[in-house]
Amino acid sequence: MNIIELPVEFTYEEYQYHLYPSLIELNNELILVDTGYPGFLPLIENAIEHKGYDLRQLKHIVITHYDDDHIGALHAFKGKYPWVTVISSEREAVYISGEVKSERLVQAEALLTQMPEEQKAFGQSFVDLLTSLQHIPVDQTVKDGEWLFDGACKVIATPGHTSGHISLILPELDSVITGDAAYIEDNGTDLLVANPQYCLDLPQAEKSLKLLKDLKAQHYYCYHGGTLHI
């Protein structure tokens, strides 16, 4: 069993950014955690192949929560690799499938009405992006404390950033995959709340961060910032 960090570099408005999806290798199969923005399918494919893996090994995709940078390429992944099982929490599944308007879109629409005129173009572009996201049914929903992949991985509820956010504990590797429940600043040595300005419930996000820290794992794989080795 192994966790592979997949640094994905991209340019936005002339600035360079990185995301860090995680890849779990288990029994010669691959489990991808989160899928990047829309259009990121080839970037993540290249990152996986660069690490020496074959996309035919990809068997599962775990979505930590509904946000454009986490589910953006999910529809494309499922279209190209239809055998893949998509997994999320019950709460996030209704947003991923499009059955219910996502919390993030509701938040973005509410913020748009409060923005000063000079910021409304940006706010509208974010609403338009969220509205354009393509949806697919979730194949398997999970709950807090549930074990996945023959007991190799435990689901832990880490709400706050979104209501149904989950993280993953991998005891054999003394590791946690945090999604957006935590992030690491550049060259940082501590876990912080990711994007607090977008948290739907900041006090709850702070509790979830404490929960993750209290696990005292040796390795924290953060979607924003990379990996913290303690």
Side-chain angles (χ1 to χ4, degrees):
M1 185 179 185
N2 194 18
I3 303 176
I4 302 96
E5 181 184 88
L6 298 175
V8 177
E9 184 176 350
F10 63 102
T11 303
Y12 178 71
E13 294 184 346
E14 300 182 357
Y15 291 96
Q16 295 296 116
Y17 296 93
H18 288 84
L19 295 178
Y20 297 88
S22 294
L23 189 70
I24 302 170
E25 179 194 16
L26 179 64
N27 299 328
N28 205 37
E29 294 184 350
L30 299 177
I31 303 149
L32 177 65
V33 184
D34 294 325
T35 65
Y37 287 102
F40 269 44
L41 172 63
L43 296 178
I44 294 178
E45 285 178 322
N46 290 340
I48 291 172
E49 290 171 345
H50 182 72
K51 295 291 185 179
Y53 295 102
D54 189 325
L55 269 299
R56 289 175 294 184
Q57 297 173 266
L58 184 62
K59 300 300 180 184
H60 306 278
I61 295 176
V62 179
I63 299 296
T64 60
H65 68 290
Y66 186 104
D67 253 332
D68 57 316
D69 56 336
H70 292 255
I71 66 122
L74 179 60
H75 185 276
F77 265 100
K78 187 68 171 182
K80 189 167 182 179
Y81 307 103
W83 61 82
V84 166
T85 300
V86 177
I87 302 169
S88 79
S89 70
E90 292 181 340
R91 182 64 178 266
E92 301 293 314
V94 296
Y95 307 135
I96 296 168
S97 68
E99 297 172 54
V100 177
K101 182 188 289 189
S102 75
E103 294 173 309
R104 187 66 70 217
L105 179 53
V106 170
Q107 179 193 49
E109 289 175 337
L111 289 173
L112 179 59
T113 66
Q114 304 166 18
M115 285 181 173
E117 202 60 39
E118 64 271 15
Q119 295 179 14
K120 283 194 173 181
F122 169 78
Q124 185 63 56
S125 68
F126 187 47
V127 168
D128 292 343
L129 171 60
L130 292 171
T131 303
S132 71
L133 293 174
Q134 294 179 286
H135 299 101
I136 64 165
V138 170
D139 300 306
Q140 179 182 347
T141 59
V142 293
K143 299 178 181 179
D144 181 43
E146 188 169 338
W147 289 90
L148 293 172
F149 317 127
D150 296 324
C153 176
K154 185 180 182 180
V155 175
I156 180 171
T158 46
H161 189 77
T162 66
S163 297
H165 191 292
I166 58 172
S167 302
L168 303 176
I169 303 173
L170 296 93
E172 180 182 327
L173 301 176
D174 201 0
S175 298
V176 178
I177 298 174
T178 72
D180 277 1
Y183 94 108
I184 312 163
E185 282 187 311
D186 292 341
N187 302 314
T189 58
D190 194 14
L191 299 173
L192 304 170
V193 171
N195 297 316
Q197 70 275 25
Y198 290 118
C199 286
L200 293 167
D201 185 336
L202 184 55
Q204 184 62 61
E206 291 169 343
K207 290 180 183 178
S208 291
L209 177 64
K210 183 178 185 302
L211 178 65
L212 293 180
K213 287 184 172 184
D214 287 347
L215 294 173
K216 300 188 183 304
Q218 286 192 324
H219 314 285
Y220 289 89
Y221 291 81
C222 300
Y223 197 72
H224 299 283
T227 307
L228 177 63
H229 302 288
I230 297 175

